[in-house]
């Protein structure tokens, strides 16, 4: 019968019941076969293929672990305060306030309001990340690979993040430059030239803690400075679980004067909103 008729299409669709597509989210997430040791109940479990994207709204305190399964993932991440998209990740302030362009465990992802969106609580990649370049664009990918549209074989990160944004009631004006995990960039001390440092290898992971309710947008595409002529992007594992936000007394709260101020700014907002 095939899928040419409604009856055939329904039969085909129902035949998929009980099967699992490797790149589809696991629902419920608690069915994920190998949750991280010590993690609370999973709320998000997904494998994002190379050239794919994902999105989710996560509650404050949720921990999000991204894993480069095969060594060629590049997770371009945008964070926005849920319900308040004008408060979103600001790469310039994240670098400037913390006096460092190279993210490591203990660093904060900040908004332009001087508040903490997320804390980088664990990193096994030797800091192979990038706060400077953003993601790829339609024009760049068309020049390099021949196309960069959303549904082509070589989609651009900006196009995929826009699609993820639209599915959350947002649009391009809500998209700031993203931060990239697993493909690093080094700034030459002499002339400021950006050098692509590549991946730390398969299995590297980062864990972020949401310090506010967040809209999370992800695109898994090659870094814009990746010099390889082919579109090289492998699978990204995404797991999130219930946990607790950073509070006074946590070493991260008082790690630096600038960080402490950002946490206080965040606490003030949450107190005024009745969320502390």
């Amino acid at each position: 019968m095939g899928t040419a008729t409604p009856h055939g299409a329904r039969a085909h669709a129902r035949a998929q019941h009980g099967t699992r597509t490797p790149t589809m989210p696991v629902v419920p997430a608690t069915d994920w076969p190998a949750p991280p040791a010590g993690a609370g109940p999973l709320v998000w479990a997904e494998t994002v293929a190379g050239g794919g994207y994902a999105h989710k709204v996560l509650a404050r305190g949720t921990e999000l672990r991204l894993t480069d399964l095969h060594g060629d993932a590049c997770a371009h991440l945008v964070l926005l305060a849920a319900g308040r998209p004008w408060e979103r990740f600001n790469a310039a302030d994240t670098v400037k306030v913390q006096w460092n362009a190279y993210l490591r465990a203990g660093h904060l992802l900040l908004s332009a309001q001087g508040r903490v969106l997320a804390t980088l609580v664990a990193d096994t990649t030797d800091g192979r990340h990038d706060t400077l370049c953003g993601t790829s664009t339609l024009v760049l990918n068309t020049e390099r690979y021949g196309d960069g549209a959303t549904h082509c074989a070589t989609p651009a990160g900006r196009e995929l993040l826009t699609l993820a944004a639209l599915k959350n009631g947002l649009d391009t004006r809500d998209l700031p430059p993203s931060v990239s995990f697993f493909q690093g960039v080094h700034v030459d001390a002499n002339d400021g030239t950006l050098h692509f440092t590549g991946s730390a290898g398969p299995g590297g992971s980062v864990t972020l803690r949401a310090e506010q309710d967040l809209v999370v947008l992800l695109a898994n595409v090659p870094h814009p400075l990746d010099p390889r002529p082919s579109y090289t992007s492998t699978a990204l594992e995404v797991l999130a679980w219930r946990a607790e936000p950073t509070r006074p007394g946590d070493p991260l709260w008082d790690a630096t004067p600038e960080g402490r101020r950002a946490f206080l700014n965040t606490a003030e907002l949450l107190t005024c909103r009745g969320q502390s």
Side-chain angles (χ1 to χ4, degrees), residues 18-181:
T19 65
R20 180 169 292 164
T21 303
T23 57
M24 287 290 287
V26 172
V27 180
T30 49
D31 283 352
W32 184 260
L42 292 180
V43 297
W44 187 10
E46 184 170 354
T47 302
V48 183
Y53 74 100
H55 57 94
K56 193 72 70 177
V57 178
L58 296 180
R60 176 177 175 243
T62 303
E63 293 192 351
L64 170 66
R65 190 183 76 179
L66 309 176
T67 302
D68 179 0
L69 294 176
H70 307 296
D72 274 317
C74 187
H76 302 266
L77 175 71
V78 169
L79 301 176
L80 307 98
R84 297 181 294 109
W86 55 88
E87 179 159 15
R88 51 190 178 245
F89 173 69
N90 187 289
D93 283 0
T94 293
V95 168
K96 177 179 64 177
V97 170
Q98 297 176 100
W99 310 99
N100 200 325
Y102 304 108
L103 293 179
R104 297 288 195 278
H107 282 189
L108 313 176
L109 301 185
L110 302 177
S111 73
Q113 283 71 32
R115 294 189 280 256
V116 188
L117 294 171
T119 304
L120 182 54
V121 296
D123 181 4
T124 70
T125 71
D126 191 31
R128 297 296 182 97
H129 314 306
D130 172 31
T131 58
L132 303 174
C133 295
T135 192
S136 55
T137 64
L138 177 62
V139 171
L140 174 67
N141 277 30
T142 301
E143 290 177 351
R144 292 190 61 181
Y145 309 117
D147 200 353
T150 303
H151 298 294
C152 74
T154 55
R158 182 74 177 178
E159 301 304 300
L160 294 177
L161 289 172
T162 298
L163 184 56
L166 290 170
K167 292 186 175 182
N168 286 274
L170 308 169
D171 59 32
T172 52
R173 70 177 182 177
D174 298 308
L175 287 178
S178 57
V179 58
S180 304
F181 291 103

Side-chain angles (χ1 to χ4, degrees), residues 4 8 86-87 122 156 166 178 212 236 248 267 270-271 276:
W86 55 88
E87 179 159 15
L166 290 170
S178 57
Q212 302 186 41
L236 173 73
L270 295 171
T271 298
S276 62

